[in-house]
Amino acid sequence: ESYKRIKEVDGKIQAFITLDEERARERAKNMDDAVARGEDSGVLFGMPIGIKDNIVTKGLRTTCASKMLENFDPIYDATVVEKLRNAGTITIGKLNMDEFAMGSSTETSYFQKTYNPWNLERVPGGSSGGSAAAVAAGEVPFALGSDTGGSIRQPAAFCGIVGLKPTYGRVSRFGLVAFASSLDQIGPMTKTVEDNAYLLQAIAGLDQNDSTSANVPVPNYVEQLTGDIKGLKIAVPKEYLGEGVGEAARNAVLEALKVLEKLGATWEEVSLPHSKYGVATYYLLASSEASSNLARFDGIRYGYRAKDAQNLIDLYKKTRSEGFGDEVKRRIMLGTFALSSGYYDAYYKKAQQVRTLIKKDFDDVFKKYDVIIGPTTPTPAFKIGELIDDPLTMYANDILTIPVNLAGVPGISVPCGFHNGLPLGLQIIGKHFDEGTVYRVAHAFE
Ligand code: GLN
């Protein structure tokens, strides 16, 4: 069914970079046989899923939407992919994204642009734009994305689906091609909150292969979708409804709060005073980590290798000049600068200190409140081509999602009405490892 739908619509949407049809059909057949034999199967058994193309899949090309990895065939599966196989899902293919997950529109992909299924002149968001568009267009019911500064929640909002960035450490990053290791998390992207909870259930938990994965028990998420939010305390940061946030996004949140009040929750305005430094802090830290993580793409070990190099240094230079796109180079240069001696204290170290303050803002609010609510993005999906030559405005699109990554807490985007035919997202942010409450509120609202 997925392949039929993909054949119908993916010419227009262009969500997939690589399909894995032969293996998927074989797996589906084996599963049919297992069912016929009466073997036990879970809820996700036989479910089609699309995987963002920065999560490695054994024997299935994993490109990070970069020329650098155009022909890269991983020799192992990411932990999440292995867990999904155990849960019985069927990998349909690999989904388009911004190159190395750097971007907010999926326009920096080396291969193709992805189009927003609600309006083909608009971006699907990014960097997990392929994942969001594929789910929204009905090509797959489940997808995995990754979120470093908003890359699951922002495209989920732009495409009118549900996307969760789990607590840092909740899901193993083993096999996720690293962008900014202290911020990256893999998370589920689905049509409904219930589906989302099932998918997180399958991929969450401690992994010996990822030293930053947390040894915190994984509760039963679906059990917590009771619809009951009586007495729940909601905090609404004034910074999330203030300057830089569009009228439509603000109104949608105020309407949503009315619905939640009717269900028995209460809300109050609070402040996250350091969140205004979030974007600056993020772009220093994320770029610094990226400049280090991407040093491995040197033309020697794997991936693209430039031809006609005169010597080793020349090989590095040519490979990296030809293999990376403009946005990736911009980040590497910014990060290398911020980490260089003489600038380290003024930029990288300062940014680390501000990160601590941002995290403390969240801790303070969570002493009194159960969840924080605001818009996911300041505006609905922008036009293709509108911001690609204006990186600073593109970066500012992430003002509402980035603080959540810096603090390490979980955040979800759920559909919250439309503006001019384009979906808007409501962001619900929870305490560390409290995805259960986030889901409960999202489910009661949806
Ligand atoms: N748009 C942000 C960036 O370009 C977020 C990316 C992400 O979360 N992977 O860095």
Side-chain angles (χ1 to χ4, degrees), residues 11-212:
K12 281 197 197 127
I13 306 292
Q14 296 185 35
F16 281 92
I17 294 179
T18 311
L19 293 172
D20 198 20
E21 186 162 356
E22 213 170 289
R23 289 201 304 187
R25 285 195 187 283
E26 192 182 311
R27 184 160 156 80
K29 196 180 158 300
N30 291 339
M31 296 181 112
D32 284 346
D33 295 348
V35 172
R37 284 195 303 271
E39 277 172 28
D40 208 22
S41 58
V43 244
L44 292 179
F45 194 83
M47 287 294 168
I49 187 163
I51 312 278
K52 186 176 180 178
D53 212 14
N54 59 350
I55 298 172
V56 300
T57 40
K58 189 176 172 180
L60 177 61
R61 177 170 86 132
T62 300
T63 69
C64 288
S66 179
K67 176 173 177 181
M68 192 60 95
L69 293 175
E70 186 171 4
N71 299 308
F72 174 54
D73 248 331
I75 53 171
Y76 66 96
D77 277 322
T79 298
V80 290
V81 172
E82 205 180 297
K83 285 188 171 220
L84 285 173
R85 181 164 349 90
N86 295 337
T89 64
I90 299 175
T91 298
I92 297 297
K94 305 299 293 285
L95 290 156
N96 199 21
M97 55 185 276
D98 282 298
E99 186 178 3
F100 284 102
M102 297 170 185
S104 305
S105 66
T106 313
E107 292 168 293
T108 71
S109 167
Y110 169 66
F111 298 100
Q112 71 219 25
K113 288 187 182 57
T114 295
Y115 297 84
N116 189 315
W118 294 92
N119 180 333
L120 297 175
E121 284 166 20
R122 303 272 164 164
V123 302
S127 64
S128 314
S131 305
V135 171
E139 297 177 68
V140 278
F142 296 88
L144 288 185
S146 71
D147 191 313
T148 306
S151 281
I152 288 175
R153 288 159 290 153
Q154 185 256 25
F158 280 10
C159 291
I161 66 158
V162 181
L164 174 92
K165 182 205 84 81
T167 308
Y168 184 78
R170 177 84 292 183
V171 176
S172 167
R173 292 183 297 110
F174 182 70
L176 170 68
V177 179
F179 163 9
S181 318
S182 78
L183 299 159
D184 298 339
Q185 267 293 289
I186 295 171
M189 303 176 74
T190 55
K191 278 234 155 117
T192 69
V193 174
E194 190 181 2
D195 285 354
N196 210 277
Y198 276 119
L199 190 49
L200 180 64
Q201 195 82 47
I203 61 173
L206 178 69
D207 175 15
Q208 299 305 337
N209 285 326
D210 173 7
S211 61
T212 64

Side-chain angles (χ1 to χ4, degrees), residues 164 167 170 193 197 200 219-235 260 265 366 369-373 410-412 414 426-446:
L164 174 92
T167 308
R170 177 84 292 183
V193 174
L200 180 64
N220 186 321
Y221 295 116
V222 178
E223 235 170 43
Q224 299 182 52
L225 307 179
T226 56
D228 182 7
I229 56 162
K230 273 192 212 77
L232 184 99
K233 293 205 191 82
I234 301 171
L260 294 167
F366 282 131
Y369 300 90
D370 301 306
V371 290
I372 297 175
I373 281 187
I412 200 169
V414 282
L426 182 74
Q427 187 174 203
I428 305 166
I429 303 163
K431 298 176 191 175
H432 281 103
F433 297 103
D434 195 14
E435 285 82 4
T437 302
V438 170
Y439 276 140
R440 183 156 58 88
V441 180
H443 176 71
F445 173 71
E446 122 190 286

